[in-house]
Amino acid sequence: MGQRLSGGRSCLDVPGRLLPQPPPSPPPVRRKLALLFAMLCIWLYMFLYSCAGSCAAAPGLLLLGSGSRAAHAPPALAPGPDGTAPKLPFQAVPATPPVAGKEPAEGAGSQEEQSPETPDSPSSISSFFSGSGSKQLPQAIIIGVKKGGTRALLEFLRVHPDVRAVGAEPHFFDRSYDKGLAWYRDLMPRTLEGQITMEKTPSYFVTREAPARISAMSKDTKLIVVVRDPVTRAISDYTQTLSKRPDIPTFESLTFKNRTTGLIDTSWSAIQIGIYAKHLEHWLRHFPIGQMLFVSGERLISDPAGELGRVQDFLGLKRIITDKHFYFNKTKGFPCLKKAEGSSKPHCLGKTKGRTHPEIDREVVRRLREFYRPFNLKFYQMTGQDFGWD
């Protein structure tokens, strides 16, 4: 009944047999999502691994590349015959009992106050990769001076992604030398290649044994000394002691052996630490002057970015810390960080910093300036820097 189509087909066959077939179904959506998730995980892992230990210290958007300086590896320590960790020769620092309100002039006993808000606690990224990197002996040490601004300098430096520093003062080269380099190294934070390990202990500068001991660890160690007007530094030192021991004698009575004759008591540590030229002579027997950087404590307050620029150059680091990292806190009277290491919040040093100094007799201050003047001039000549204290 119906007409035949070519090929012998009936037109009745067309509906159901000649309609176009649907295209093959695409791969399941879940497979695509799984592949995308796997690629994202791989990318995230590589990103975090590359940033571990460096991005953790970068404030805000400081996700910049590492500096050009590679941290040198410390000499290997050969185990002793009994398999124990080796120890360097040790000569104990003689302990001098304190005299009525006075601290020992050299070595132990002049530890700077620890800032409770600045422990060596890694950020979340560093903690995630706590096993990455390795512990190295420090390639740079802030060796002094007490009440000069060493804590501020260390906290500012820790903003740099290529600087890793232990928070507490180790006091290895003045108090714990008998524990050995292996013990000292274990105190240090882990670092990646290209990062610098640092520590700061201000009493090293006035410890006679410290220069030889640091040189025995590594002759290439870079040394940083933060110095401050010795008269102001002495008053600040006394203020710190007074906050702990309100019953100590007055600054004026401790300054002189005999106030009538005007003879200054150089055995008092607050006075003795400020004779910078005398202490520097010991260091120059073991280290060239070019291996030491002298940072102005005054300029660290008035121009922190400028002084940090000098420090970064000295350490062979890219100049990442700039004036954009600081703001001036009028209440405390010194600069603070807009963002501290591993934090997105502003950070100032604790209440133990920036104490109000007691009123000191002007005549006593004048005599102290006269006492320090020749030592200051010699220090300017030795360092090639005029710090403007006179």
Side-chain angles (χ1 to χ4, degrees):
M1 296 202 28
Q3 286 185 330
R4 291 281 179 179
L5 297 178
S6 60
R9 293 179 182 174
S10 168
C11 63
L12 297 176
D13 297 329
V14 174
R17 295 186 64 183
L18 296 182
L19 291 177
Q21 298 297 317
S25 59
V29 176
R30 279 190 289 182
R31 289 180 58 189
K32 287 188 176 181
L33 290 177
L35 180 61
L36 181 62
F37 181 77
M39 294 175 64
L40 180 62
C41 287
I42 293 174
W43 177 86
L44 184 61
Y45 175 82
M46 294 176 65
F47 174 77
L48 290 177
Y49 184 81
S50 65
C51 283
S54 59
C55 294
L61 299 179
L62 268 182
L63 301 179
L64 304 178
S66 297
S68 58
R69 187 193 185 285
H72 65 270
L77 297 174
D82 57 352
T84 58
K87 297 181 181 179
L88 294 182
F90 169 70
Q91 181 179 356
V93 181
T96 306
V99 179
K102 298 192 178 184
E103 298 177 359
E106 288 196 9
S110 60
Q111 180 182 11
E112 185 174 4
E113 270 189 309
Q114 300 297 314
S115 180
E117 72 285 357
T118 54
D120 185 38
S121 54
S123 66
S124 56
I125 296 180
S126 296
S127 299
F128 184 77
F129 286 102
S130 58
S132 64
S134 59
K135 294 189 175 185
Q136 306 288 339
L137 292 170
Q139 295 95 41
I141 303 176
I142 300 174
I143 60 173
V145 298
K146 180 185 178 185
K147 307 311 296 179
T150 58
R151 171 57 63 184
L153 178 60
L154 184 70
E155 293 307 305
F156 295 164
L157 276 175
R158 291 175 74 174
V159 170
H160 200 292
D162 287 340
V163 172
R164 296 287 288 148
V166 59
E169 295 172 6
H171 282 278
F172 174 67
F173 295 104
D174 60 347
R175 300 180 186 175
S176 303
Y177 193 63
D178 60 330
K179 294 182 179 179
L181 283 176
W183 176 87
Y184 182 48
R185 192 208 311 266
D186 194 53
L187 298 178
M188 301 299 133
R190 292 183 180 275
T191 54
L192 303 175
E193 184 178 356
Q195 292 183 319
I196 293 177
T197 302
M198 291 188 65
E199 71 115 315
K200 77 104 175 172
T201 304
S203 55
Y204 289 163
F205 189 63
V206 296
T207 300
R208 283 182 174 269
E209 295 83 2
R213 291 172 175 176
I214 295 177
S215 178
M217 177 186 72
S218 174
K219 295 182 181 296
D220 297 323
T221 306
K222 292 187 176 183
L223 308 172
I224 300 175
V225 190
V226 187
V227 290
R228 182 183 183 187
D229 180 339
V231 177
T232 308
R233 197 221 66 82
I235 297 172
S236 179
D237 199 336
Y238 172 80
T239 304
Q240 175 177 300
T241 305
L242 184 65
S243 69
K244 300 175 182 178
R245 300 166 55 193
D247 58 337
I248 62 172
T250 64
F251 180 87
E252 292 82 354
S253 61
L254 292 172
T255 298
F256 299 100
K257 284 186 176 180
N258 187 320
R259 189 166 182 177
T260 304
T261 61
L263 183 62
I264 304 293
D265 188 357
T266 58
S267 67
W268 183 29
S269 65
I271 299 296
Q272 206 248 27
I273 290 173
I275 310 176
Y276 303 138
K278 172 186 173 183
H279 304 300
L280 182 56
E281 289 175 348
H282 300 309
W283 289 91
L284 293 181
R285 294 170 189 162
H286 299 273
F287 292 93
I289 193 71
Q291 214 165 304
M292 304 181 73
L293 179 69
F294 300 90
V295 176
S296 166
E298 287 81 12
R299 286 196 292 271
L300 195 59
I301 295 175
S302 63
D303 181 21
E307 285 301 280
L308 265 293
R310 294 179 59 237
V311 176
Q312 290 172 95
D313 291 345
F314 175 71
L315 296 175
L317 297 170
K318 184 177 180 179
R319 282 200 178 198
I320 288 179
I321 307 172
T322 62
D323 53 4
K324 69 181 180 181
H325 289 85
F326 303 98
Y327 73 94
F328 190 81
N329 186 304
K330 294 182 180 180
T331 303
K332 285 185 169 292
F334 51 72
C336 301
L337 288 169
K338 291 181 180 178
K339 294 181 182 179
E341 178 198 23
S343 172
S344 60
K345 298 179 181 179
H347 173 69
C348 282
L349 298 181
K351 62 182 180 180
T352 61
K353 308 300 177 183
R355 294 187 184 95
T356 302
H357 292 176
E359 191 70 28
I360 305 298
D361 189 312
R362 291 185 179 182
E363 178 62 20
V364 174
V365 173
R366 185 190 66 80
R367 290 191 183 184
L368 272 177
R369 294 206 176 281
E370 290 180 355
F371 167 78
Y372 279 120
R373 184 170 290 112
F375 297 109
N376 290 344
L377 294 176
K378 184 177 180 180
F379 184 66
Y380 298 168
Q381 292 175 337
M382 296 171 77
T383 61
Q385 293 179 237
D386 186 341
F387 291 91
W389 299 325
D390 302 286

